[in-house]
Amino acid sequence: MRAALKVVMAAIFAMPAAVALAKSPDCASWPTNMALVHLKNAGLIDIPSVIEAQTKAVRLASEKIGKDLHQQVYEITFHTRDGKTIEVITNSQASSEECSMSGVDVYLVSKKIGGSAAQPSEGTTNK
């Protein structure tokens, strides 16, 4: 009985490690940086004007699409020193080894309807 209990306890303590290995990678920096580049190239933002401490990236979705490959969607909000708020949605692929497994598709949110009061809403994206 004690041997069985030891096996069960060992399995319980090993579970968090196994779950951690299967966890989707946290790759917010790659789509955030690429979104900035795309916004700059489109003439929508001046990178030095971005208040980095106020930039917020929220992972909306992550789907395992391969052995160690995840499709990830982020909502990223940038604030500039002149009071602009620019929101984008990004789509890219990441692995546990490398966040830049693909390019980053960047979609500009021009109008947000509904949602919580804490989030920017209609008319917050300025050009």
Side-chain angles (χ1 to χ4, degrees), residues 52-108:
E52 189 175 338
Q54 291 182 4
T55 298
K56 183 178 178 184
V58 176
R59 186 170 50 201
L60 301 176
S62 183
E63 176 184 14
K64 188 172 183 178
I65 59 172
K67 183 177 179 186
D68 183 24
L69 190 61
H70 297 264
Q71 190 77 29
Q72 296 189 330
V73 177
Y74 282 87
E75 176 184 33
I76 304 167
T77 306
F78 300 101
H79 299 275
T80 63
R81 297 189 199 302
D82 60 358
K84 291 181 185 176
T85 300
I86 299 176
E87 292 179 84
V88 298
I89 302 292
T90 64
N91 179 37
S92 59
Q93 295 177 2
S95 74
S96 61
E97 295 290 322
E98 182 65 49
C99 288
S100 58
M101 295 300 289
S102 73
V104 179
D105 298 324
V106 180
Y107 304 92
L108 181 64

Side-chain angles (χ1 to χ4, degrees), residues 13-37:
F13 288 118
M15 283 176 63
V19 171
L21 291 175
K23 190 176 179 182
S24 177
D26 182 13
C27 285
S29 63
W30 170 247
T32 299
N33 290 333
M34 291 310 299
L36 271 174
V37 170

